Amino acid sequence: MNGATRLQKILVDSPVGVVLPAISLINLPDRWLAGGAVRNTVWRSLFGNECQLVIKRFGLRLVILHL
């Protein structure tokens, strides 16, 4: 399993896997899930219960360009 596939499996099998489809339903341009939830999910997957990182909130970032 390559790194991208492993990352996808980790995220799909976590609360992030529930939130990402919900974010896509908002249908806003250039939306991103901020890094804390992703980072904490990956670290917890790698280190198990020894890792004290948890998801505190999901941060959504929007990029708005004015031309």
Side-chain angles (χ1 to χ4, degrees), residues 45-65:
S45 172
L46 294 174
F47 295 104
N49 291 333
E50 294 177 24
C51 177
Q52 298 297 313
L53 295 173
V54 294
I55 299 172
K56 295 179 184 174
R57 65 181 182 280
F58 290 93
L60 183 61
R61 302 287 188 253
L62 302 174
V63 177
I64 301 173
L65 299 175

Side-chain angles (χ1 to χ4, degrees), residues 6 8-9 11 22 32 34 41 44 47-49 56 59 61 64:
R6 185 174 181 197
Q8 185 176 22
K9 179 164 177 30
L11 295 177
W32 301 86
T41 298
R44 189 138 176 113
F47 295 104
N49 291 333
K56 295 179 184 174
R61 302 287 188 253
I64 301 173

